[in-house]
Structure formats: structure tokens, C-alpha cells
């Protein structure tokens, strides 16, 4: 059969794959499970039958081109997997950055579970466990893609446990707090951005990317084309949202809704104005996503099916 259960040096039960090439040298490796062992054995048998076993042997033994650094493979993963299979690749792009920063110099074939533990420990110094878990999930998915691309035989993070996350009760903005937050903004474009998020429940990234072509003043609709679930969303616009959008400056040749008045360039983040507004309003706990929760709760209280 070519593989069997054995005890390794630590006394753990492992699946050992052992196959001889026609030149009587042996290919020997521990693999994750019998399914992986059968897959590799089938590749070797096929290569021997087709007379291409030398190429396969060289592929298995190389440590150069077929063993890229994680930083290099992350680019391949993002372009060939995320941008093709994910409707919102920017979500994964954000999680890939710390992977490249902390693990970029590690080669794929030398990656071990200990690297993931060290990665999580370092990342915990800067972010919450939930953020660490998102990067770990992306890392695991990337290594799975490496298996599909035949850089790896098995995913070293299979059944890897994520960090425990603190379950905090969700606090919802009251109507009075919402209006206080809106009134506390000191920039007319920033207040319109916050109002659109609060009136439509779109995500902050969807608001940043919003263009005039997706706003229909006549039908009072805002369209989100690139939704997280791959389906467009059509959201009714309130009088307040329409008024805020109507007050914004528009620049010929610039499709972006939220642009800087001083130079006409699109805004990329409203974090600064939003932070000032929430501190002024005495709502330091509020984040952009709380505007989404607020609107959803208002719709539910009004009997809207969401």
C-alpha cells in the first residue's frame, strides 16, 4: 500500500508514507492522514507508469522554486484565490498584512504549527483576539491553497484551535445618542458620511467606495453592488439621507461621493473626524459598525423585515 501507522520519536501515532523510485532510492515522509497518503502514492505510481518519475522526484526534493517564502506566496494567494473567489478580497488583504509582516521570511515547507502560535502571541500585543483569529483563519486558508497548488502535501494548520474570544453584550445607540453623534461632527462631508451609514446600515468600506452612479435620487434608492454575500443590495433613502447627499459637492470627472472640499480628492478614511465627534458627544465606545447596528434596530422596531 505504501503507507502505515507508526510511532514517531515523541510516541505519537503518525501516517508514514514510504515509496521506492525505480532507481531504488526511497521517498519517505510523514503525512496528515491516509487520504493524503493515497493521493501522493497515486501521483508517484502514475509518474512511474508514465516515465516521468524523475521530474516528480526532483519536484519533491527541490527546496528552491517550489518552496517560496510566505511573503511571496501571499501575493500568489491574493491574486489567484482571493481576487478570483472572494467578492470582497479587501477583507482578506487586510488580514494578510500582519501575516506577511510577522511570517513573511518563513518558507512554506518549513512552516510549523509553532509558527502560528508565535504569530498569534505577537499579534495579541496590538489587537483583540477576534482580529488575531481572522488572520489565523486567512493563514489556514492560504496554506490550504498551497496544498491545492501542490506546494504542500498537507495543511499544517488542520484542526488548529483559534483563540477564545470574549463575548461582550452588544450596546445599541439610542435615537438621542445617534442625533447627538451626528451633530457633533465638525466637517460637513464627514457628517454626511456618518449620516449615510446611520440611515442605510451600509458598512464603512461600502460608504468609502460609494459613487454617484449607485445613488438614485428619483427612486430614493442606494445600491450596494459589491455586497459581502455577492448579491447587490437596494436600500431606501430617508429624507435626511437624501438631504445630506444633496448637500455634498460634486466634481466633474470624479465619481466618488465623499470628496475633500479643499482639493477634490476622495476620502479614504473618516476615522479622525469620527473620533473627534464621538468624544465630543461623550460616546467614546461607539464605532462605525455601531451605526449599522443602530439602523438595523430602528428598522426592526418599525416592523421592517431585514
Amino acid at each position: 500500500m505504501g503507507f502505515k501507522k507508526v510511532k514517531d520519536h515523541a510516541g505519537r501515532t503518525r501516517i508514514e508514507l514510504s515509496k521506492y523510485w525505480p532507481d531504488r532510492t526511497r521517498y519517505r515522509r510523514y503525512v496528515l492522514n491516509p487520504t493524503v497518503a493515497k493521493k501522493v502514492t497515486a501521483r508517484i505510481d502514475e509518474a512511474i507508469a508514465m516515465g516521468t518519475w524523475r521530474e516528480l522526484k526532483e519536484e519533491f526534493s527541490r527546496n528552491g522554486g517550489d518552496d517560496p517564502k510566505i511573503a511571496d506566496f501571499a501575493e500568489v494567494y491574493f491574486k489567484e484565490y482571493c481576487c478570483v473567489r472572494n467578492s470582497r478580497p479587501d477583507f482578506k488583504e487586510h488580514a494578510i498584512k500582519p501575516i506577511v509582516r510577522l511570517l513573511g521570511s518563513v518558507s512554506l515547507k518549513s512552516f510549523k504549527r509553532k509558527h502560528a502560535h508565535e504569530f498569534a502571541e505577537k499579534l495579541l500585543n496590538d489587537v483583540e483576539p477576534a482580529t488575531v483569529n481572522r488572520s489565523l483563519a486567512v493563514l489556514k486558508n492560504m496554506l490550504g491553497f498551497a496544498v491545492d497548488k501542490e506546494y504542500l502535501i498537507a495543511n499544517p494548520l488542520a484542526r488548529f484551535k483559534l483563540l477564545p474570544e470574549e463575548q461582550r453584550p452588544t450596546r445599541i445607540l439610542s435615537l438621542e445618542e445617534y442625533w447627538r453623534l451626528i451633530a457633533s461632527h465638525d466637517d460637513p462631508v464627514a457628517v454626511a458620511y456618518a449620516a449615510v451609514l446611520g440611515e442605510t446600515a451600509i458598512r464603512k468600506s461600502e460608504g468609502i467606495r460609494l459613487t454617484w452612479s449607485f445613488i438614485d435620487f428619483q427612486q430614493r434608492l442606494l445600491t450596494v453592488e459589491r455586497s459581502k454575500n455577492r448579491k447587490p443590495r437596494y436600500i431606501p433613502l430617508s429624507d435626511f439621507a437624501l438631504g445630506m447627499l444633496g448637500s455634498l459637492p460634486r466634481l466633474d470627472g470624479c465619481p466618488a461621493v465623499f470628496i475633500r472640499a479643499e482639493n477634490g480628492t476622495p476620502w479614504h478614511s473618516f476615522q479622525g473626524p469620527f473620533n473627534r465627534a464621538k468624544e465630543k458627544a461623550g460616546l467614546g465606545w461607539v464605532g462605525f459598525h455601531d451605526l449599522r447596528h443602530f439602523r438595523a434596530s430602528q428598522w426592526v422596531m418599525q416592523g421592517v423585515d431585514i
Side-chain angles (χ1 to χ4, degrees):
M1 185 176 291
F3 60 91
K4 61 183 179 179
K5 289 184 178 181
V6 298
K7 296 285 187 180
D8 65 9
H9 66 280
R12 296 170 298 188
T13 301
R14 306 284 294 274
I15 303 296
E16 182 190 69
L17 170 62
S18 178
K19 286 285 291 185
Y20 280 94
W21 301 103
D23 61 0
R24 302 310 299 164
T25 58
R26 185 165 66 162
Y27 176 78
R28 185 178 181 184
R29 178 177 297 190
Y30 289 131
V31 295
L32 181 64
N33 53 43
T35 301
V36 173
K38 291 177 182 177
K39 179 180 177 181
V40 177
T41 300
R43 285 195 67 195
I44 295 174
D45 290 341
E46 180 183 15
I48 292 173
M50 298 293 291
T52 58
W53 61 271
R54 289 184 178 85
E55 290 83 354
L56 185 62
K57 179 182 178 182
E58 182 181 354
E59 177 187 330
F60 282 172
S61 62
R62 279 199 314 262
N63 287 316
D66 69 337
D67 190 20
K69 301 295 184 184
I70 284 181
D72 297 325
F73 187 74
E75 293 185 21
V76 177
Y77 167 70
F78 182 72
K79 292 177 182 177
E80 297 185 12
Y81 184 94
C82 301
C83 292
V84 173
R85 304 191 190 185
N86 299 133
S87 61
R88 292 292 308 280
D90 51 306
F91 282 115
K92 283 192 174 176
E93 184 179 24
H94 182 73
I96 288 172
K97 289 179 180 178
I99 295 173
V100 172
R101 176 167 54 87
L102 298 174
L103 296 172
S105 62
V106 180
S107 67
L108 272 178
K109 289 187 177 179
S110 66
F111 183 88
K112 307 294 183 186
R113 294 171 83 91
K114 69 174 185 178
H115 290 113
H117 287 294
E118 292 169 356
F119 168 74
E121 185 177 346
K122 291 178 181 177
L123 208 55
L124 267 177
N125 294 327
D126 303 316
V127 297
E128 295 293 323
T131 304
V132 177
N133 284 341
R134 281 194 290 272
S135 285
L136 285 172
V138 170
L139 176 60
K140 180 179 178 180
N141 186 255
M142 183 172 73
L143 294 171
F145 182 62
V147 174
D148 293 341
K149 297 282 286 184
E150 299 185 352
Y151 285 100
L152 299 176
I153 291 179
N155 190 331
L157 291 188
R159 298 186 293 277
F160 187 85
K161 291 185 178 180
L162 299 179
L163 302 177
E165 299 179 20
E166 182 181 355
Q167 298 297 319
R168 299 175 181 174
T170 301
R171 182 177 175 184
I172 305 295
L173 274 167
S174 69
L175 195 58
E176 184 275 330
E177 289 173 330
Y178 169 67
W179 289 118
R180 179 155 35 106
L181 177 65
I182 295 296
S184 297
H185 279 78
D186 55 16
D187 184 280
V189 180
V191 70
Y193 173 79
V196 169
L197 264 60
E199 295 296 301
T200 64
I202 62 175
R203 298 176 176 88
K204 67 175 183 178
S205 57
E206 294 168 344
I208 288 292
R209 293 197 309 271
L210 191 61
T211 60
W212 290 111
S213 60
F214 292 106
I215 296 174
D216 189 329
F217 283 92
Q218 186 174 0
Q219 296 191 39
R220 303 170 64 96
L221 280 178
L222 182 152
T223 301
V224 177
E225 184 185 37
R226 293 173 57 196
S227 186
K228 198 173 180 180
N229 63 2
R230 297 177 179 269
K231 297 179 181 179
R233 303 200 313 276
Y234 304 97
I235 305 168
L237 291 168
S238 66
D239 290 338
F240 181 56
L242 286 169
M244 286 286 99
L245 289 168
S247 70
L248 291 172
R250 300 180 70 163
L251 188 65
D252 289 341
C254 181
V257 170
F258 301 107
I259 60 175
R260 296 180 180 273
E262 62 271 19
N263 55 23
T265 59
W267 280 81
H268 296 295
S269 172
F270 285 96
Q271 195 65 59
F274 186 78
N275 287 343
R276 292 194 299 271
K278 70 180 186 179
E279 293 303 326
K280 181 179 178 181
L283 299 168
W285 58 274
V286 173
F288 283 114
H289 208 68
D290 290 298
L291 293 171
R292 181 172 166 84
H293 291 160
F294 162 76
R295 180 48 52 193
S297 68
Q298 292 294 308
W299 282 338
V300 168
M301 287 189 288
Q302 294 166 12
V304 177
D305 183 9
I306 60 172

